[in-house]
Amino acid sequence: MYKSIIIGTGPSGLTAAIYLARANMNPLVIEGPEPGGQLTTTTEVENFPGFPEGIMGPELMANMRKQAERFGAKFITGWVNSVDLSERPFKLQVEGQGEIVGESLIISTGASAKYLGIPGEKDNVGRGVSTCATCDGFFFRNKKIIVIGGGDSAMEEANFLTRFATEVELVNRRDELRASKIMQDRAKSNDKIVWSLNRTPLEVVANGMGVTGLKVRNNATGEEELIETSGVFIAIGHTPNTGFLNGQIDTDEHGYIRTKPGSSETNIPGVFACGDVQDNKYRQAITAAGSGCMAALDCEKFLEGSITQDWGESLPQ
Ligand code: NDP
């Protein structure tokens, strides 16, 4: 039986692990199939404070893990198949590890960016294909960029990327945009954005060094077209990794775990959430790390009995 169990090892989970381990709470950290989380799929991280020359994403995550281990956090690897949160202690069924029991639980399983599943896409992540404008936009200064998607994320990313790009071409599979009117209006009034609507992405074209273009089908004519670019930003949404919870925790309409405003507390006493699994807005390594710290402090207080998390069945909307 563990005092605290942390599921997920992105910046939020590892920060929670550092704090809990340092507080002698001996956390057990369960690493999934993508140890280190989304940052391990990026190259250089230039906006994490404390690294004036930048740091490679995998190195940053390896450092955080080492720091947690130094204070006694224990790591195991395994896919969490299911959890039983109906009573404390909580029970987790972990692939290859059997049942694991804990007095408290921190969920930091992140969110996964959706990909299109077209040829050339996954092979060129970090070499021209990105799902994060804030992380990678800077690398495309004075270049032409394509953004794929028609939702609020795509509008926001396209607008943001005009700071760097000579031109941003927005490719959407339908003639209509899904984005809210205000976000559409903002993007439409930006004269650096050009519109390629009614076009289905078919293939990311690359030359071995990096991306050179995007092949699309013009749905009006049925013709294939090649749009030249060195950067393809995919903004078709994210999926929070909450499947294993099987509906036992309050989530918003997009599946993100709902936390009490200003804290990491979920609607179940003793269960805390941090990082992208509860953040549909900022999605940054530094905000995830900050919320991991909050989760550890909230969890510690809960274990000491100084917060009861008693606000009924459901969190306020
Ligand atoms: P959405 O689900 O709203 O939009 C996804 C977009 O990607 C749609 O245009 C969709 O096309 C397109 N798409 C999905 N799958 C594919 C595919 N396989 N091939 C091509 N295109 C595809 O996701 P967002 O991330 O934009 O937004 C998620 C939520 O977060 C929304 O509620 C949004 O309002 C919110 N948000 C708010 C922001 C803000 O207020 N500042 C900023 C960002 C997000 P189609 O329409 O044809 O289905």
Side-chain angles (χ1 to χ4, degrees), residues 136-202:
D136 298 326
F138 194 66
F139 300 119
F140 295 88
R141 263 165 302 170
N142 302 322
K143 294 190 174 153
K144 186 217 167 118
I145 297 175
I146 287 176
V147 172
I148 301 174
D152 283 342
S153 295
M155 301 304 116
E156 194 169 73
E157 303 241 320
N159 261 324
F160 176 77
L161 288 167
T162 57
R163 293 186 198 180
F164 310 103
T166 50
E167 179 181 89
V168 173
E169 185 155 348
L170 194 129
V171 173
N172 187 40
R173 64 182 172 186
R174 289 189 298 141
D175 235 348
E176 266 173 49
L177 298 169
R178 182 183 290 272
S180 56
K181 187 172 179 311
I182 184 168
M183 300 288 278
Q184 284 193 39
D185 289 349
R186 206 171 289 162
K188 283 177 181 161
S189 65
N190 187 329
D191 56 15
K192 272 184 148 186
I193 299 177
V194 298
W195 301 84
S196 277
L197 302 183
N198 214 3
R199 281 166 174 83
T200 301
L202 298 176

Side-chain angles (χ1 to χ4, degrees), residues 142-310:
N142 302 322
K143 294 190 174 153
K144 186 217 167 118
I145 297 175
I146 287 176
V147 172
I148 301 174
D152 283 342
S153 295
M155 301 304 116
E156 194 169 73
E157 303 241 320
N159 261 324
F160 176 77
L161 288 167
T162 57
R163 293 186 198 180
F164 310 103
T166 50
E167 179 181 89
V168 173
E169 185 155 348
L170 194 129
V171 173
N172 187 40
R173 64 182 172 186
R174 289 189 298 141
D175 235 348
E176 266 173 49
L177 298 169
R178 182 183 290 272
S180 56
K181 187 172 179 311
I182 184 168
M183 300 288 278
Q184 284 193 39
D185 289 349
R186 206 171 289 162
K188 283 177 181 161
S189 65
N190 187 329
D191 56 15
K192 272 184 148 186
I193 299 177
V194 298
W195 301 84
S196 277
L197 302 183
N198 214 3
R199 281 166 174 83
T200 301
L202 298 176
E203 183 184 346
V204 175
V205 184
N207 62 7
M209 308 274 285
V211 167
T212 57
L214 177 74
K215 211 182 271 178
V216 297
R217 185 179 52 246
N218 180 328
N219 295 325
T221 63
E223 305 265 299
E224 278 189 20
E225 298 168 354
L226 178 69
I227 310 174
E228 288 185 6
T229 183
S230 49
V232 174
F233 283 77
I234 298 158
I236 61 169
H238 284 76
T239 313
N241 300 317
T242 52
F244 67 100
L245 294 169
N246 210 10
Q248 291 173 84
I249 289 194
D250 264 11
T251 57
D252 68 12
E253 68 272 28
H254 303 293
Y256 288 82
I257 294 178
R258 292 176 58 223
T259 49
K260 189 179 168 191
S263 94
S264 66
E265 301 169 30
T266 70
N267 65 311
I268 298 186
V271 180
F272 306 86
C274 52
D276 285 11
V277 75
Q278 52 85 58
D279 172 18
N280 192 13
K281 188 174 176 192
Y282 299 106
R283 300 189 191 121
Q284 299 301 299
I286 188 66
T287 50
S291 72
C293 164
M294 289 164 64
L297 297 178
D298 289 341
C299 182
E300 212 184 311
K301 287 210 176 78
F302 175 82
L303 291 169
E304 285 167 354
S306 51
I307 56 170
T308 56
Q309 245 177 294
D310 188 12

Side-chain angles (χ1 to χ4, degrees), residues 123-144:
D123 317 335
N124 288 296
V125 170
R127 283 189 291 173
V129 173
S130 171
T131 54
C132 177
T134 327
C135 318
D136 298 326
F138 194 66
F139 300 119
F140 295 88
R141 263 165 302 170
N142 302 322
K143 294 190 174 153
K144 186 217 167 118

